[in-house]
Amino acid sequence: MQFSSALLENAVNEFSKLPGIGRKTALRLVLHLLKQEEEDVQHFSEVVSRMRNEIKFCQRCHNVADADICSICANSMRKQDVICVVENIRDVIALESTQQFSGTYHVLGGVISPLDGVGPSQLNIDTLIHRVQKEEIREVIFALSPTIQGDTTIYYIQKKLNPGVRITTIARGIAFGGELEYADEMTLARSLQNRLPIESYVSNK
Amino acid sequence: MQFSSALLENAVNEFSKLPGIGRKTALRLVLHLLKQEEEDVQHFSEVVSRMRNEIKFCQRCHNVADADICSICANSMRKQDVICVVENIRDVIALESTQQFSGTYHVLGGVISPLDGVGPSQLNIDTLIHRVQKEEIREVIFALSPTIQGDTTIYYIQKKLNPGVRITTIARGIAFGGELEYADEMTLARSLQNRLPIESYVSNK
């Protein structure tokens, strides 16, 4: 692509560094911004730069936060003795969007994956074990991806947790709206194994 | 989507204002930026804001420029007496990428489209006619979209141009790699009507 303006070219280069944004899409986004009011683009630019400079990570659960402790940990209405262990911030947002969970979170920052060079020491596992020991936690819910790496991580952590704590994982099964015939064997087998009494199914509806 | 950080939420809101970027994609982009170095995000933000504040439009051809006159108009190696008329900046970039055109451009800013409320006065038509009168232009090439609106615009402008100027349009026909049977009738009819002697086809290959 040939640009007659270096300012335009630099902006397109910056946008095309973003994941999933090619040069054509980057150009479209930049030309869109070019058509907006100067203040709006100024605001866009400031919000992005403030976000990166001022955002913090919760000292307790490693979620994104505007202060030292995130708004979920700081909320006394939530069950502080239940921890849901997730891989990343996106999972927190997904679970919060269900509005079904009223405990706290713990963001691991990934799962144990020796092939990718990710061992337990790179993840926020020590702080989780410390939390469970110190805070009289009643239940630890694992909400990790149903992969070998996820299962390994669950296995590794649960061996280190106090024996008194209740440890659960989110249910695996056929997704809502999913078709039985297209489900893989592993999922189908697990969903058969962990079948539910019909009453609990009807009451959840 | 529920966010535990207002800084994050604001950034996602700003990104999701961009065309074709939904909230999930916006979140992915913002979390990507969150993982980058602070200076890199600062640079991104500055480049975007500088682009909007400092970019100019060429006083001669209305293309984007870093100065009062764009680098194409300012380039004395280019044929200053040939003007290629295009709808927008993106078309200039597309044509420049072919590296086949060594004249100058004129960006109309759209095409005449009464249904969308776009009349000749909203477009950069007057400056084009003025340029052709003043600058001893030899040829005006129309490179507009092959639509009714594009054709109307060509018809409107060519009636206002000096009779001495050579007026051409880019060839319509079957696109390279396009299949004949899927071409629409209009394109096929025009490409038959404007058939080329075989010599020119072979020499272009």
Side-chain angles (χ1 to χ4, degrees), chain B residues 66-133:
Chain B
D66 295 342
D68 289 340
I69 295 293
C70 77
S71 58
I72 296 173
C73 284
N75 185 347
S76 60
M77 302 287 284
R78 301 187 70 120
K79 293 176 197 145
Q80 299 291 337
D81 56 356
V82 177
I83 300 178
C84 181
V85 179
V86 293
E87 273 180 61
N88 54 46
I89 300 157
R90 216 170 306 165
D91 297 335
V92 174
I93 294 168
L95 284 162
E96 280 300 284
S97 299
T98 67
Q99 300 187 322
Q100 293 291 316
F101 181 65
S102 58
T104 62
Y105 293 93
H106 193 89
V107 180
L108 290 181
V111 282
I112 296 171
S113 175
L115 280 178
D116 301 316
V118 180
S121 57
Q122 275 113 309
L123 304 174
N124 300 319
I125 291 179
D126 285 347
T127 49
L128 172 63
I129 290 158
H130 192 74
R131 258 182 90 180
V132 174
Q133 281 166 349

Side-chain angles (χ1 to χ4, degrees), chain A residues 4-6 36 52 63 66, chain B residues 4-6 14 36 52 63 66:
Chain A
S4 57
S5 152
Q36 305 308 303
R52 180 63 190 83
N63 186 14
D66 294 344
Chain B
S4 57
S5 153
E14 284 299 316
Q36 305 309 303
R52 181 62 190 83
N63 186 14
D66 295 342

Side-chain angles (χ1 to χ4, degrees), chain A residues 69-98:
Chain A
I69 296 292
C70 77
S71 58
I72 296 174
C73 285
N75 185 347
S76 60
M77 303 287 284
R78 301 186 72 120
K79 294 178 197 143
Q80 298 292 336
D81 56 355
V82 177
I83 300 176
C84 181
V85 179
V86 294
E87 274 179 61
N88 55 45
I89 300 157
R90 217 172 301 166
D91 297 334
V92 175
I93 294 167
L95 284 162
E96 280 299 284
S97 299
T98 67

Side-chain angles (χ1 to χ4, degrees), chain A residues 97-113:
Chain A
S97 299
T98 67
Q99 299 189 322
Q100 293 291 315
F101 182 64
S102 58
T104 62
Y105 293 93
H106 194 88
V107 180
L108 289 181
V111 281
I112 297 171
S113 176

